[in-house]
Amino acid sequence: MRSIVLYSALKKYILSKWPTQYITRGFIDYEHDNDLGIYVKDIAPLKGYMEGDKYQGRVARVQFIYQATQSDEDFYANRQFMNSLENYLLKLQNVLVVTENNYTINEDGDIIRIDEPTAADKGLTIGISNTNLITSIVDLGKSPDGRPMFSINLAITYFIGGKNNG
């Protein structure tokens, strides 16, 4: 569930800047123009103490794969979007982001998904301490139907902070 809530927070963060962006989790919809697939792999635990409290953090490898349009005229606009996305993601340094409203922590401390969130459900707060670029924009070639594809790879250090009270 950790990787899913990180995906949810990143999706919400991206949609706050590009509200019409089509985003998928862990796959690319080959029949959809301008699909941004977000692949999150939780790779390492990170434990630390702050003011006597133990925080359970994680490091995740996050790959963003963007499938553009088939139009050659859009090539530079697609590259510009990827450049803007990379810069936007690299600004995630010591910030709090919030998941979609349908994630919470139950009384046992487990992350759960709520099918029908209420007004009291405001998602989970995710603290992102840093983002490190693994690879900048890479041209992946074309999808099976000829859409150019690009990727960006990041290592993201994050902490699940609990229920969002905002």
Side-chain angles (χ1 to χ4, degrees):
M1 286 299 284
R2 290 181 303 266
S3 60
I4 292 172
V5 295
L6 179 58
Y7 159 81
S8 176
L10 291 170
K11 176 182 176 182
K12 191 171 176 182
Y13 178 74
I14 291 166
L15 289 174
S16 71
K17 181 164 175 110
W18 295 283
T20 61
Q21 179 58 52
Y22 183 73
I23 297 175
T24 52
R25 181 178 57 84
F27 71 95
I28 291 291
D29 181 350
Y30 287 120
E31 296 182 8
H32 199 282
D33 284 339
N34 303 318
D35 181 8
L36 180 64
I38 302 175
Y39 300 74
V40 178
K41 299 229 187 297
D42 216 21
I43 58 173
L46 178 66
K47 295 180 182 177
Y49 289 88
M50 295 176 66
E51 299 177 11
D53 293 329
K54 185 166 115 177
Y55 286 84
Q56 300 285 339
R58 307 295 294 181
V59 176
R61 178 183 175 271
V62 183
Q63 182 177 40
F64 297 85
I65 297 179
Y66 182 67
Q67 175 181 259
T69 66
Q70 290 176 319
S71 171
D72 289 337
E73 291 82 33
D74 292 340
F75 179 80
Y76 292 105
N78 294 324
R79 287 292 298 218
Q80 179 58 45
F81 168 73
M82 288 301 285
N83 187 63
S84 296
L85 177 64
E86 179 181 290
N87 290 334
Y88 189 62
L89 293 168
L90 289 174
K91 291 178 184 174
L92 286 170
Q93 305 288 332
N94 297 316
V95 297
L96 297 176
V97 292
V98 178
T99 68
E100 296 161 300
N101 293 345
N102 52 348
Y103 295 99
T104 191
I105 295 178
N106 67 14
E107 55 277 346
D108 296 326
D110 298 324
I111 299 168
I112 60 170
R113 185 176 189 284
I114 304 166
D115 290 331
E116 296 183 26
T118 66
D121 297 313
K122 296 180 179 7
L124 297 175
T125 300
I126 307 295
I128 297 183
S129 62
N130 65 54
T131 54
N132 294 307
L133 196 59
I134 297 172
T135 59
S136 190
I137 303 165
V138 175
D139 185 346
L140 298 177
K142 293 191 175 186
S143 69
D145 61 351
R147 292 178 173 93
M149 297 178 70
F150 308 96
S151 82
I152 298 170
N153 291 278
L154 299 170
I156 297 178
T157 304
Y158 71 101
F159 298 83
I160 298 173
K163 292 181 181 180
N164 178 31
N165 296 320

